[in-house]
Structure formats: C-alpha cells, structure tokens
C-alpha cells in the first residue's frame, strides 16, 4: 500500500522546484516574476485575451459569417417605409384642462404638462377610431391582413387535428382517457384562439395598436411645436393617416373646448345662485349678532377701551396723592409723639402756623435780650413769659388742627383710590363681555365678506367664459403650422446600418461565446495547473468518495471505509508528507477560498494521525465562520479566543468527543481583542502549552485570501497543507495565492481533494487519472476488505 502515492500523486517534473510567490517566506525570485519581467509591455491579461482569440479564430469566423449572412437575408426581405409628418403649434396661454372646475378658476398648467396633454389627446382611441373609420383601415391589408386559409390554420388547431387522426387509427375512435383529455384540452385552446381572433376582428383595437406602433408624436426640441409622424409602406397612406389624425384631433379639441365652456357656464350659474343665497344668509346672521350683543356698527369697542384707559390714568393719579398724604400724616404723627413741635411746624405749609411760629420766635428773642439786664422776677420778663406761653399754646392748637386735616385728606385719598379700583373692575368685566360678543360678530362678518368676494369673482368669470364661448369659432389653442405631404423618398429601412449592426452583434456574440467557453475551463481539474501556477513540485491527489451518511465529513468516511482508495490516499498523504513533523509538530491546513474542503481534510488528517498513534489536537482558528463548533456542538464552550483574551486556561479550552479519537480547541467568540492579540507569539505559546499532552497540533485556518489570520498560522506551523478542490478552485484563486509571497517548499504541501477520477479519466485530462481503471479493479477486490 505504501506505493499508493504513485497512483494518487501528480508526478514530479524533476529538479528542485522554482520558488513561487506564496507563504511562508523563503528567499529567491519567483518564476512568475521572471516571466513577467521578460514582457513588461504586455500584461498577463492581454496575453490571455490574445491566446483565447487565436485559439478560437475559426469558431469566431464561422459564427460571424453565419450570423452576418442571416442578418443580410433578413435585411433583404425588408420593404421600403415612407414617413409623412405634420407640425402643430400649441398656444399654451389658451390651453384649458378638460375639467370644468379648473376652467372656472382659470388654472393654467405648466407649459410642458399642457403640451404633453395635447399629445395624449392626439394619440387617444377616440381620435384614432375616427381615423380608422374615415380611411376604412379595417379593410386595408397593411392593418388587417386577409383571413388565413385552411392550410395555414394555427399550429395548435392543426396539431390537434393530426393527433385526433392518429388516435382514431390506433384506438379505432376510442383512445385512452389521458389521450382523450389531451385532445379535448387542445380543442379548447384552439377555440380560445379563434374566439380571440373573432373578438379582434369585430373592433378596431388591433388596428389602433398597429397605428400606435408606427405613429410618432413628440415635441420638437424645447419649443411648443408638436411633430406628428406616421410610417407606412405606401406613401399616400402615410399622408392620409397623418392628415386624418390632425383633422380629427382639431375637431375633437374644438368640441372639447365647447363642451367645457358649456359645462363651466352651467356650473357657474348654479354656483352663483347658491352663493347669493349664502351671502344673504350671512348678512342676516351678522345683523342678528350685532343686535343681540348691543353692538353698534362702528367703533363701540374703541370708545369703551378709551374710557377704560382714562379711568386707569385717574387711578394712577389717585394712588400718587394717597401715597403722599399717608406719608405726610405718618411723619406728623411720629413728630407729635416725640414732641418735636419745631419739626412739625416746619413740615406744615400753613400761613397761620407760620405767623404763630414767627411770634414765638420774636418773643423768645426779646426775652433773651432782657434776661441779660433784668432778673426773672422783673415785670417785663414776667409779661413776656406770659405772652410766650400764650403764643406756644395757640401754635400747638393750630398744629393739631392741621394734623387732623392731613389725616382727613389721606383718608379721602384712600377712599378715592378704592372707588376707582372698583370702577375699573366693573369696566373691565363689561369690556370683556363686549369682546366675547364681538368675536362671533367678526367671524360672521369675515365669512360674509369672503362669500361676497367669491361671488364677485364668479360673476366676472361667468362673463369671461361666455365671451370665450361666443368667440370660439375655431380652436385657437392649436394651429396647423405644416400640413402633411406625400413622401417621395423612403425613410427606411437603413439596410447598410442594419447589416453593419448585425456584423458587430455577430462579432460580439462570437467573442463572448469563446470567452464563455474559456471561462468554463478556468476551474482547476489537473495537478499540472496547480504546479504551473504555484510552482510546487508535487500535488497529492485525494479522490472523491461518496457516502450518504457521512456527507461532508471525511473522517467518518475514513472510519467506515478504511480500505477504500480514499482512505489509502489519506494514509499516503500522512506517511509521505506529514510524518516528519518531529515529536511535537504543528500542521496548518488552509485553502484559497471557502468551500474548498479545508475543514473536512483537517479532521481527516487528524483521524489518520490519531490512528497512527499520535496524540492529536485540532485547533480551530477560523474565528469568523467556524465549522467545527457546529459539527461537534462546541458553540457554547470556551475556545481559543477566550484563551487569547485571558478568560480561560488551556485545560478549559481543550475538549473531546466520543465520535473522534483526537481533542479539539474551538475558535470561540469573535471579538476585536482576539484579532489584535492573534499573532505568531501567541501561537508559539499555545503550542508550548499543548506540547506536554499532544504530539501533533493541527490548525484549521481561515481561507488565505479572505483574511490574514491564515498567514499568521502558517508562519508559526511546521508544515502548511494547502487544499485545492477539484472542479471548484479556480486559476484566479491560485494566482491570488501566488501573489501573497514566496513559498518555502520544505514546509508547503499541496493537496487536491474531491477528485472524481472516473469523470477526469473519461474527459481525457492528463495526469494520474489514466491509471484509474487499474486502481479501480485493485480496490474493488472484495477479498481485501476486512470486517468492520
């Protein structure tokens, strides 16, 4: 069995393989770079295009010749077409929309919308029906071909008749139920076709549809000119159709304007009568509200407001007087209690008090002068003292009388202020009541005014519409600028351009066809293609093995079919390429794209190594799309990302399963910290921690072209197992892998999986597939199989 790799591997070209861009890094220039440097002016894509075109030149020529000939044959059968045209000028200022309400209010649409409306009227069934009847197009062969003869009946009807004849011959008029049902259904389909043809013949729908296909109505540039063109096989007919359409359109437009004016006048008259009644009712409501509220027609509210303002001014003045009086009274009271008569007398503006104060002062002065000459017992001094006491007594009495007057004035000021405040309160209540009664009155007055204005507007509009109706003897909104003429030169078809277009289309179709055939072959089917692109010396072949119970799980196929060609190829892969990893080795399994069988081969290699006596642990480093978690139900358990983040130990992330003899480390949950700390050093630490318990660490990586994680793992691993899938991996994928960097051939092992040897040998692919017949006989010998 150890010679099996001779069958399952691609041959070696001899000599050491040249380094090719990939990874892990190794020194030396790549074969791809040397080739590109030889032809710097022509890129690989352009060379690929020239190679494809050169290799399929006869196929391209045959397709172009055939399709161009068919185009020439079709163009030669085309008949000459004649086009007649007419020009119409639309006066947008006089265009009215076909609704009486918009006609009444005078709403003029935008210019473009108005012209487009005219175009729709030109193409309306009403206008075209009249043209069909005027020109009797229902009897014209161009619009209504003659009825088909019996030998040209519809295909369904002829097929049913032929089938009925065959049934009567084979079954003597009594066919089986399925055949009878099929014939009956065919009769119903034929009757439906006849019914549709009869319905179309009764009306002008089909004829109008044919007119629409050949009628062209458009705006000339940004002008208000409408161009009407019709193409026909007969010059006179093209002119007659255009003339009929224009004439019937103008008549229809004129009638529409008249009907519109009539309906607008009727609507205006009804609306005016109703508005007059509403205006009279509104005026009556206004007068009723005015009388009910006691409001005069004029400035009643303004007068009440002025009176209220004047009263408020009086209140302000009274408040000021009251404040002064109360302050003066309080001051006099304080001085009176303190016995300060001089201060009291100085603050009272009274002539009597002033005179008494002057008398007291004169007597006091005289007594002071005499007191220096005479003693207190002198008669003159005694006389002056009596006069002084009498004057002081009179002064005090007068001051008390003035204080009482000030107190009475302050009390009067307070009472006056209170009375004014009460008056203002009554006036504000009365004014508020007046305002509440005036609000409905103003509302009614506004409604009456609005209705009166609308009535005046409608009366003016009625006079305008009546004048337009009287003066509209012809459609002033649309004028005929250029009448249709009988064309003398055909307007088409442009046979040379059609033939040239056919040639270009045939050439494009031929080129697309050959490139489509070439692109179908871009998927890798041979080891030679892998060696040529990646520059590797050997490509190991793993054949396809179908097992319904183990679909997508190669380790189960290896368990159930240990003596199959598939199982032997996995043993050969491990013995020849992966057995020299040392006591503790690390194997990285990667691929270019997803769905290349990377995870399945990882588990299969782990199965083979485990059965060979190795203690194997599979580490899933595909954090984004882990498949191992779903296969072994590890999604809820801690994994590699938890260990990298410091949230778990190695013992917590290593898990086992009863289905496989190896351990597993799931990827865990993806988080930014995991991606930032995921590097070669962390993988080295991981392998160092796993080395006491395991002999082989197999890394299931992410696709190399999708993310950079795979390159980190491959840089830390002892071996790199690159997986390609037969008929799935493309040459573009391998080109992209080759651009990642130079390959270290001592570490790089390339495997092609899922190879259908039978299909490959039958299609003539070169390589190890030619030995399929011999190997099939050898592994098909049942005597070599042991009981499970």
């Amino acid at each position: 069995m150890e010679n099996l790799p001779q069958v399952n591997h691609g041959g070696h070209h001899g000599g050491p393989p040249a380094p090719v861009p990939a990874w892990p890094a190794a020194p030396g220039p790549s074969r791809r770079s040397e080739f590109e440097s030889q032809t710097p002016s022509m890129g690989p894509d352009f060379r690929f295009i020239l190679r494809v075109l050169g290799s399929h030149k006869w196929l391209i020529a045959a397709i172009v010749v055939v399709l161009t000939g068919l185009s020439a044959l079709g163009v030669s059968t085309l008949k000459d077409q004649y086009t007649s045209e007419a020009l119409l000028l639309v006066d947008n200022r006089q265009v009215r929309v076909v609704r009486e309400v918009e006609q009444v209010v005078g709403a003029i649409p935008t210019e473009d919308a108005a012209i487009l409306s005219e175009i729709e009227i030109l193409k309306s069934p009403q206008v075209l029906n009249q043209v069909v009847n005027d020109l009797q197009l229902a009897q014209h062969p161009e619009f209504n071909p003659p009825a088909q003869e019996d030998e040209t009946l519809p295909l369904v009807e002829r097929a049913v008749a032929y089938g009925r004849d065959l049934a009567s011959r084979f079954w003597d008029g009594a066919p089986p139920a399925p055949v009878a049902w099929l014939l009956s259904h065919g009769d119903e389909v034929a009757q439906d076709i006849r019914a549709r043809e009869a319905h179309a013949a009764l009306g002008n729908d089909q004829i109008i549809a044919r007119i629409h296909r050949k009628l062209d109505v458009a705006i000339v540039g940004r002008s208000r000119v409408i161009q009407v063109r019709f193409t026909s096989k007969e010059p006179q007919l093209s002119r007659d159709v255009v003339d009929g359409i224009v004439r019937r359109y103008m008549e229809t437009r004129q009638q529409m304007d008249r009907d519109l004016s009539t309906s607008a006048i009727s609507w205006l008259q009804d609306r005016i009568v109703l508005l007059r009644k509403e205006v009279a009712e509104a005026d009556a409501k206004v007068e009723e509200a005015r009388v009910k509220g006691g409001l005069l027609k004029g400035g009643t509210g303004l007068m009440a407001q002025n009176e209220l303002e004047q009263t408020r001014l009086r209140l302000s003045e009274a408040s000021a007087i009251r404040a002064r009086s109360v302050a003066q009274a309080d001051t006099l009271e304080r001085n009176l209690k303190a016995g300060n008569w001089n201060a009291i007398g100085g603050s009272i503006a009274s002539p009597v008090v002033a005179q008494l104060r002057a008398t007291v002062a004169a007597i006091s002065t005289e007594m002071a002068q005499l007191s220096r000459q005479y003693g207190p017992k002198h008669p003159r001094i005694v006389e002056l003292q009596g006069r002084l006491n009498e004057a002081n007594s009179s002064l005090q009495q007068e001051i008390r009388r003035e204080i009482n007057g000030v107190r009475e004035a302050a009390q009067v000021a307070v009472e006056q202020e209170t009375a004014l405040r009460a008056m203002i309160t009554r006036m504000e209540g009365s004014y508020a009541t007046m305002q509440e009664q005036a609000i409905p009155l103003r509302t009614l007055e506004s409604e009456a005014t609005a209705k009166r204005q609308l009535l005046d507007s409608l009366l003016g509009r009625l006079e305008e519409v009546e004048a337009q109706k009287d003066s509209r003897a012809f459609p002033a909104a649309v004028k005929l600028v250029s009448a249709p003429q009988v064309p003398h030169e055909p307007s088409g078809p442009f046979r040379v351009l059609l033939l040239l277009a056919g040639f270009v289309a045939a050439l494009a179709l031929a080129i697309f066809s050959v490139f489509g055939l070439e692109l179908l072959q871009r998927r890798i089917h041979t080891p030679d293609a892998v060696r040529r692109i990646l520059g590797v010396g050997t490509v190991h072949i793993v054949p396809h093995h179908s097992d319904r119970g183990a679909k997508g799980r190669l380790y189960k196929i290896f368990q159930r079919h240990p003596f199959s060609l598939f199982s032997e190829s996995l043993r050969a892969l491990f013995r020849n390429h992966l057995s020299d990893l040392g006591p503790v080795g690390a194997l990285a399994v990667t691929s270019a794209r997803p769905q290349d069988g990377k995870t399945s081969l990882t588990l299969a290699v782990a199965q083979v190594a485990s059965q060979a006596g190795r203690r194997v642990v599979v580490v899933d480093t595909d954090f984004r799309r882990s498949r191992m978690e779903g296969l072994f139900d590890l999604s809820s358990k801690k994994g590699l990302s938890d260990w990298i983040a410091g949230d778990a130990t190695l013992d917590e992330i290593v898990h086992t399963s009863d289905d496989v003899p190896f351990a597993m480390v799931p990827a865990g949950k993806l988080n930014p910290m995991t991606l930032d700390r995921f590097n070669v050093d962390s993988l080295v630490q991981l392998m160092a921690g796993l080395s006491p318990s395991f002999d082989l660490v197999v890394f299931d990586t992410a696709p190399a072209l999708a993310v950079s994680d795979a390159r980190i793992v491959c840089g830390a691993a002892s071996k790199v197992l690159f997986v390609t899938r037969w008929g799935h991996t493309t040459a573009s994928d391998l080109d992209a892998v080759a651009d990642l960097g130079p390959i270290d051939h001592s570490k790089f092992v390339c495997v092609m999986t899922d190879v259908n040897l039978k299909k490959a040998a039958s299609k003539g692919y070169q390589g190890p597939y030619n030995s399929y017949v011999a190997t099939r006989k050898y592994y098909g010998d049942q005597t070599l199989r042991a009981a499970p």
Side-chain angles (χ1 to χ4, degrees):
M1 290 295 180
E2 294 186 359
N3 294 328
L4 182 63
Q6 187 68 24
V7 178
N8 296 333
H9 289 68
H12 197 288
H13 284 293
V20 177
W23 28 258
S30 66
R31 179 187 305 172
R32 181 184 178 93
S33 301
E34 292 176 356
F35 181 77
E36 291 180 358
S37 62
Q38 295 174 3
T39 56
S41 61
M42 184 179 297
D45 293 339
F46 187 63
R47 290 196 303 271
F48 169 75
I49 293 174
L50 293 180
R51 180 179 64 81
V52 172
L53 295 178
S55 60
H56 297 86
K57 57 185 177 181
W58 297 114
L59 176 60
I60 295 174
I63 294 175
V64 170
V65 170
V66 172
L67 294 183
T68 305
L70 293 177
S71 301
L73 180 61
V75 168
S76 63
T77 59
L78 297 178
K79 295 183 179 180
D80 291 337
Q81 302 287 331
Y82 296 89
T83 302
S84 180
E85 70 174 17
L87 299 178
L88 299 174
L89 176 63
V90 178
D91 188 358
N92 192 39
R93 295 170 298 178
Q94 300 184 14
V95 171
R96 294 289 183 264
V97 188
V98 289
R99 289 202 302 171
E100 63 271 10
V101 177
E102 296 185 0
Q103 173 78 357
V104 168
V105 299
I108 300 179
T110 59
E111 183 169 344
D112 291 342
I115 297 177
L116 291 176
S117 300
E118 299 301 319
I119 292 177
E120 293 302 321
I121 297 174
L122 265 166
K123 298 164 61 177
S124 64
Q126 180 180 358
V127 174
L128 297 183
N129 265 319
Q130 294 176 353
V131 174
V132 170
N133 296 331
D134 292 343
L135 300 179
Q136 297 182 353
L137 298 181
Q139 287 77 35
H140 198 280
E142 184 174 344
F143 296 94
N144 191 13
Q148 298 177 337
E149 301 296 337
D150 292 339
E151 62 270 10
T152 59
L153 289 175
L155 179 61
V156 175
E157 191 171 348
R158 285 184 285 144
V160 171
Y162 182 71
R164 195 174 297 280
D165 292 339
L166 291 179
S168 61
R169 293 177 185 177
F170 284 102
W171 292 288
D172 296 330
V179 177
W181 177 87
L182 185 62
L183 294 175
S184 176
H185 182 68
D187 290 334
E188 294 177 358
V189 173
Q191 291 176 3
D192 291 340
I193 295 175
R194 287 296 188 185
R196 286 196 297 270
E197 291 179 353
H199 177 73
L202 293 177
N204 296 333
D205 296 341
Q206 298 296 328
I207 300 175
I208 292 176
R210 291 188 176 94
I211 294 177
H212 271 295
R213 287 195 292 268
K214 298 181 180 182
L215 179 64
D216 182 19
V217 182
I219 303 173
V220 180
R222 298 291 302 171
S223 65
R224 288 182 284 109
V225 176
I226 298 177
Q227 183 184 57
V228 183
R229 306 184 65 189
F230 185 79
T231 302
S232 175
K233 299 177 183 178
E234 300 179 7
Q236 184 64 39
L237 181 61
S238 63
R239 182 263 174 196
D240 293 342
V241 171
V242 174
D243 180 71
I245 291 175
V246 170
R247 178 167 48 82
R248 285 299 184 178
Y249 158 73
M250 299 183 73
E251 293 176 357
T252 302
R253 195 66 180 80
Q254 181 180 6
Q255 186 61 39
M256 288 171 57
D257 291 339
R258 290 174 179 171
D259 295 342
L260 185 61
S261 297
T262 301
S263 59
I265 291 173
S266 176
W267 185 87
L268 278 171
Q269 291 174 347
D270 295 341
R271 184 60 177 157
I272 287 172
V273 172
L274 181 61
L275 270 178
R276 283 175 176 169
K277 181 179 179 181
E278 292 178 355
V279 168
E281 292 177 354
D283 291 340
K285 290 181 181 179
V286 169
E287 292 299 328
E288 181 181 355
R290 187 176 289 119
V291 172
K292 182 178 180 181
L295 301 175
L296 299 177
K297 189 175 182 180
T300 303
L302 183 60
M303 293 172 61
Q305 185 177 5
N306 291 336
E307 185 178 355
L308 179 60
E309 294 297 331
Q310 290 177 3
T311 306
R312 287 174 178 169
L313 291 176
R314 291 172 57 193
L315 175 61
S316 299
E317 295 175 357
S319 298
I321 294 172
R322 186 266 307 162
R324 288 196 299 270
S325 300
V326 172
Q328 186 178 8
D330 292 342
T331 302
L332 291 175
E333 288 288 344
R334 288 194 300 270
N335 291 331
L336 181 61
K337 291 179 181 180
N340 192 357
W341 297 99
N342 291 328
I344 294 174
S347 61
I348 296 177
S350 173
V352 176
V353 173
Q355 185 177 2
L356 290 174
R357 289 183 64 193
T359 301
V360 171
I363 294 173
S364 297
T365 301
E366 187 177 356
M367 282 183 65
Q369 292 176 357
L370 293 176
S371 294
R372 298 187 186 98
Q373 298 177 3
Y374 308 104
K377 301 296 186 176
H378 191 275
R380 182 62 178 169
I381 295 299
V382 172
E383 179 187 359
L384 290 175
Q385 183 64 42
R387 290 173 59 193
L388 178 61
N389 293 334
E390 183 181 357
N392 282 330
S393 178
S394 299
L395 177 61
Q396 291 177 3
Q397 291 177 359
E398 188 63 29
I399 287 174
R400 287 189 178 92
R401 188 168 53 251
E402 290 294 334
I403 289 174
N404 291 333
V406 171
R407 289 173 179 170
E408 293 176 358
Q411 184 65 29
V412 170
V414 171
E415 293 176 355
Q416 184 180 3
E417 182 182 9
T418 303
L420 288 174
R421 289 185 183 278
M423 184 182 297
I424 289 175
T425 302
R426 290 193 303 271
M427 294 180 67
E428 286 179 347
S430 177
Y431 183 73
T433 303
M434 185 182 300
Q435 289 293 103
E436 292 177 357
Q437 294 176 353
I439 290 174
L441 177 62
R442 286 196 296 269
T443 303
L444 293 175
E445 288 177 346
S446 300
E447 293 178 357
T449 302
K451 291 182 178 180
R452 192 175 294 106
Q453 292 176 353
L454 180 58
L455 176 60
D456 295 339
S457 175
L458 293 183
L459 288 173
R461 187 59 182 164
L462 177 60
E463 295 179 359
E464 180 183 352
V465 174
E466 288 178 344
Q468 289 178 352
K469 180 181 179 181
D470 294 339
S471 62
R472 189 165 292 174
F474 55 89
V478 182
K479 299 179 177 62
L480 180 62
V481 177
S482 175
Q485 304 294 330
V486 178
H488 299 288
E489 297 293 335
S491 58
F494 301 100
R495 293 180 173 83
V496 176
L497 293 179
L498 292 176
L499 188 60
L500 181 61
F503 172 76
V504 173
L507 182 61
L509 181 61
I511 293 175
F512 287 149
S513 299
V514 298
F515 273 102
L517 294 175
E518 184 67 23
L519 290 177
L520 292 177
Q521 304 300 323
R522 291 290 287 171
R523 298 188 182 274
I524 300 301
H525 290 87
T526 62
D528 291 338
V530 179
R531 288 195 296 268
R532 183 176 63 253
I533 298 175
L534 295 182
V536 296
T538 302
V539 178
H540 189 88
I541 301 300
V542 176
H544 171 76
H545 187 101
S546 61
D547 190 346
R548 182 178 303 176
K551 184 177 181 182
R553 303 184 183 185
L554 300 183
Y555 69 93
K556 286 192 174 182
I557 297 177
F558 187 87
Q559 294 173 353
R560 296 179 182 181
H561 306 279
F563 303 107
S564 64
L565 180 61
F566 166 80
S567 300
E568 293 296 339
S569 68
L570 289 181
R571 291 192 182 95
L573 172 64
F574 181 78
R575 293 170 182 173
N576 296 342
H577 300 283
L578 307 178
S579 60
D580 58 344
L581 293 177
V584 179
L587 174 63
V589 183
T590 186
S591 63
R593 299 283 185 187
Q595 305 299 325
D596 278 342
K598 166 180 56 61
T599 302
S600 298
L601 188 63
T602 300
L603 300 177
V605 170
Q607 178 77 29
V608 174
S610 299
Q611 293 188 193
R614 293 291 189 98
R615 294 176 300 168
V616 183
V617 58
V618 178
V619 180
D620 188 1
T621 61
D622 192 354
F623 300 101
R624 294 164 182 81
R625 294 185 179 273
S626 174
R627 192 181 172 207
M628 284 180 51
E629 294 180 354
L631 292 175
F632 300 99
D633 195 19
L634 301 175
S635 58
S636 61
K637 297 182 179 181
K638 293 186 177 181
L640 179 60
S641 61
D642 301 304
W643 179 81
I644 294 176
D647 298 334
T649 62
L650 284 178
D651 294 334
E652 293 176 343
I653 66 173
V654 178
H655 307 282
T656 59
S657 174
D658 297 334
D659 295 334
V660 291
F662 49 86
M664 292 164 288
V665 176
K669 296 181 179 179
L670 177 65
N671 56 73
M673 183 180 297
T674 302
L675 299 179
D676 296 336
R677 296 183 180 180
F678 185 74
N679 49 40
V680 176
D681 294 336
S682 64
L683 293 178
V684 172
Q685 295 177 7
L686 176 66
M687 290 186 290
L690 296 174
S691 60
S693 303
F694 301 96
D695 302 329
L696 177 62
V697 181
V698 182
F699 290 97
D700 182 20
T701 71
L705 298 180
V707 292
S708 61
D709 299 351
R711 280 164 269 174
I712 295 175
V713 179
C714 294
S718 305
K719 285 278 187 178
V720 176
L721 190 62
F722 183 78
V723 181
T724 61
R725 184 178 175 186
W726 188 83
H728 182 267
T729 305
T730 64
S732 301
D733 297 340
L734 298 182
D735 287 335
V737 170
D739 292 334
L740 294 178
I743 288 178
D744 185 355
H745 294 284
S746 63
K747 297 174 60 174
F748 198 90
V749 179
C750 188
V751 179
M752 179 179 289
T753 64
D754 202 28
V755 178
N756 192 326
L757 297 176
K758 180 179 180 181
K759 185 182 294 185
S762 64
K763 290 187 177 181
Y765 287 111
Q766 300 298 321
Y769 310 135
N770 296 330
S771 60
Y772 167 72
V773 177
T775 57
R776 181 186 61 177
K777 292 180 179 180
Y778 179 79
Y779 289 99
D781 188 0
Q782 298 295 328
T783 61
L784 297 177
R785 300 186 180 275

